[in-house]
Amino acid sequence: MKKLILVFAISGVALFTSCASFKDQGLNDYYSFYEKKVDKVKLPPILLNVLSGKEELKPILKYIKSAELVTINEASNKMKKNLESAIKYDQFHKYLNFQLGGEPITLYAIEENEVIKNIVFKIQSGKDIKLVDAKVNVPFSEFEKVMHNL
C-alpha cells in the first residue's frame, strides 16, 4: 500500500511540474517552449547596419558578433508575460523605450564587467513580437554614449 501511495505521489509531482507554467527559464527556453509560435532567422551583422532606422544606433551595431531575428506569432498575454519573465531571468536590464515607424521598441542589455555582452531589441508589431537578439562586445562607456544621444 505504501508503494502504491509513493507511486501516485511521484506521478502527481511529475504531472504537476510538466503542466506547470513557464517559470524560471531564459530566452532560449522560451523559444523552445513556444517553438510552434516562434520563428528564428540568423542575421548577418552587416544586414543590421543596412537596416538600421535610427542613425544614433549605428555606432553600437558595429559591435555585433551574431544576431537572430525572432518572431513570436500571435502572442497571447500569457506569452508576453512569459517573455518578460524570460528576459528578467536572463538578467537583462531595460535601457530604453522609443518609437520607430510607429512601433514601440524596447532595448534590453546584459552588462558584465563594464562590457555589454548581449542586446535584445523588442519590437511590438500588432499581435506579433519581433526580437533582435544580438551577441555583442561593447564597452559600457560606448554604450552609454549611444544611449545619451538617443
Side-chain angles (χ1 to χ4, degrees), residues 21-138:
S21 65
F22 181 87
K23 186 175 180 179
D24 295 331
Q25 298 181 50
L27 281 175
N28 288 329
D29 294 325
Y30 179 88
Y31 302 152
S32 296
F33 191 76
Y34 291 111
E35 67 182 315
K36 292 183 180 177
K37 293 254 188 180
V38 172
D39 298 319
K40 292 183 351 181
V41 177
K42 291 200 182 283
L43 295 174
I46 191 75
L47 185 61
L48 291 174
N49 287 320
V50 172
L51 296 176
S52 174
K54 267 201 163 304
E55 188 65 33
E56 298 89 344
L57 289 175
K58 286 194 179 199
I60 209 163
L61 295 177
K62 69 183 177 186
Y63 292 100
I64 292 178
K65 295 179 177 180
S66 66
E68 286 183 317
L69 174 62
V70 180
T71 303
I72 303 163
N73 301 298
E74 298 291 319
S76 67
N77 287 335
K78 183 177 181 179
M79 291 173 72
K80 291 175 186 177
K81 183 178 176 184
N82 289 343
L83 177 60
E84 291 299 319
S85 175
I87 288 170
K88 287 179 186 173
Y89 181 82
D90 281 345
Q91 299 181 349
F92 280 93
H93 297 282
K94 186 189 300 187
Y95 281 95
L96 185 64
N97 286 320
F98 60 95
Q99 295 270 331
L100 186 61
E103 295 180 331
I105 299 175
T106 305
L107 172 65
Y108 298 93
I110 295 175
E111 182 260 328
E112 294 176 9
N113 300 323
E114 297 294 316
V115 176
I116 299 295
K117 296 291 188 180
N118 195 298
I119 294 175
V120 169
F121 292 95
K122 177 182 153 200
I123 306 158
Q124 184 70 43
S125 180
K127 287 191 172 191
D128 296 340
I129 298 172
K130 292 179 176 51
L131 303 173
V132 176
D133 188 348
K135 306 293 184 240
V136 296
N137 191 12
V138 182

